[in-house]
Amino acid sequence: MSPCINWLQPLLALISSTLLARGHNCPSHCSCPDHHTVDCTGKGLTRVPDSIPLNVRRLLLSNNWIPWIPSDFLVLYSDLVYLDLRNNSLTKMDPGTLSTSSRLVFLDLGNNNLTDIPSGTFGESRSLIKLRMGNNPYLTVVGQDAFMGLTSLRELDLERNGFTELDVRVLEPLSSLQMLRLEGNPWLCNCHFAKLFVWLTENSHKLPTGMEGIECALPLLGRRIPLSLLSEDSFRQCHGNLTLKDYLIVIFSGICVSVAAIVASFFLASTVHCFQRLSKGSNGDEEDGNQ
């Protein structure tokens, strides 16, 4: 009897584990190929599904019609390391939405309708290694501190978006960055692009296609040329350009100088007038004394 029991135990364990994995709170219309993966790819979803297992590690939501992610969505999924949201209808990501997932390693937001990435979107997602946001044609703005805290990020994809310029300070916090994709954007070769050009020149080894793979349009001609044909001298006219702050300082200084000049002129005129009156008074006294 015991040999039969010994033979049945592994079989029963295998069957029970298989049934448990298949029925482990898997969302309807989705599949759960293993205990930590939820695959909802191409299911026509218009919102994030309910009943996602709390211990999910890989969540696949690509090729759906999801327009937004609840700001508290990742609060309960602390084990999530892989999140694929490609090819949906996302228009924005609320600040703090992703900062609650401290273990997230891979995030794909490509092929959506994002318009901007505000500061604080990723919070302190220090585990994030790959971030893909390419093919968002309306994405034109990235907040200065949007990538603050992504100290482990190695790959950043911003290709084929709507960028004409990008503040270089956005990239400076990415101390571990090894690969950056910027090709396919409608960059403008103007003075706003000058600082980014210098940064790209110094970090060209991080560009998969090099400087020749990124093009920008000349301000007057409109013709697009590879960055490899440009140099820092191409932006030398920008060094003498004044910023808005500089203009305000000049205007304020001019006003102060004008006011000071008016006050000084008034004081000088008053002084001269007083001396003239005193001089006339003393001359009158002398004439009276002579008479």
Side-chain angles (χ1 to χ4, degrees):
M1 188 72 179
S2 59
C4 293
I5 295 176
N6 292 335
W7 179 81
L8 285 173
Q9 282 181 342
L11 181 60
L12 292 173
L14 178 62
I15 294 174
S16 62
S17 62
T18 303
L19 293 174
L20 182 61
R22 290 184 177 179
H24 185 66
N25 295 328
C26 195
S28 59
H29 306 297
C30 301
S31 62
C32 298
D34 60 62
H35 205 56
H36 297 288
T37 300
V38 175
D39 187 355
C40 303
T41 303
K43 301 300 181 181
L45 301 177
T46 56
R47 62 184 180 89
V48 177
D50 298 324
S51 305
I52 297 176
L54 297 181
N55 61 343
V56 63
R57 295 180 183 175
R58 298 180 74 249
L59 180 56
L60 312 178
L61 296 171
S62 62
N63 301 321
N64 286 293
W65 301 96
I66 300 173
W68 70 290
I69 300 295
S71 58
D72 59 347
F73 171 65
L74 296 176
V75 172
L76 298 177
Y77 306 110
S78 58
D79 291 333
L80 190 66
V81 297
Y82 189 103
L83 179 57
D84 186 356
L85 285 164
R86 282 176 299 135
N87 197 23
N88 275 283
S89 302
L90 297 175
T91 57
K92 66 175 182 177
M93 298 293 291
D94 294 330
T97 300
L98 302 168
S99 62
T100 53
S101 183
S102 59
R103 296 186 182 181
L104 196 64
V105 172
F106 176 91
L107 175 62
D108 197 336
L109 298 172
N111 293 88
N112 277 283
N113 298 319
L114 296 174
T115 58
D116 68 305
I117 305 296
S119 297
T121 298
F122 301 101
E124 298 294 323
S125 300
R126 299 184 182 276
S127 298
L128 196 61
I129 293 178
K130 294 184 179 181
L131 176 58
R132 296 177 179 174
M133 293 190 295
N135 295 285
N136 281 274
Y138 308 111
L139 181 56
T140 59
V141 178
V142 177
Q144 181 178 332
D145 297 328
F147 299 144
M148 187 69 69
L150 302 184
T151 54
S152 299
L153 193 68
R154 298 178 187 175
E155 297 183 16
L156 175 60
D157 182 0
L158 294 174
E159 66 177 340
R160 296 182 178 86
N161 292 321
F163 294 113
T164 57
E165 61 184 67
L166 182 66
D167 192 337
V168 72
R169 291 175 293 182
V170 170
L171 303 173
E172 291 174 350
L174 304 177
S175 56
S176 300
L177 190 64
Q178 298 178 2
M179 188 185 78
L180 174 64
R181 304 196 69 102
L182 293 174
E183 57 269 27
N185 284 282
W187 301 111
L188 295 178
C189 295
N190 54 23
C191 292
H192 296 292
F193 189 75
K195 290 184 178 180
L196 179 61
F197 177 81
V198 174
W199 188 94
L200 293 176
T201 302
E202 297 172 349
N203 295 272
S204 59
H205 59 283
K206 299 178 182 179
L207 307 175
T209 58
M211 296 290 280
E212 61 273 8
I214 304 175
E215 296 180 343
C216 64
L218 298 175
L220 297 179
L221 302 178
R223 183 168 59 90
R224 303 191 67 78
I225 60 173
L227 297 189
S228 57
L229 299 181
L230 301 176
S231 65
E232 290 189 37
D233 289 339
S234 304
F235 300 92
R236 62 180 179 273
Q237 74 277 7
C238 300
H239 298 310
N241 287 359
L242 296 177
T243 64
L244 177 60
K245 182 179 179 180
D246 296 329
Y247 281 117
L248 292 176
I249 292 175
V250 170
I251 293 172
F252 181 74
S253 300
I255 294 174
C256 291
V257 170
S258 299
V259 172
I262 293 172
V263 172
S265 299
F266 178 78
F267 179 76
L268 180 61
S270 299
T271 303
V272 170
H273 181 69
C274 290
F275 275 115
Q276 288 177 345
R277 293 188 62 182
L278 290 174
S279 177
K280 289 181 179 180
S282 61
N283 290 337
D285 292 340
E286 290 178 359
E287 291 176 359
D288 292 340
N290 293 331
Q291 292 177 358

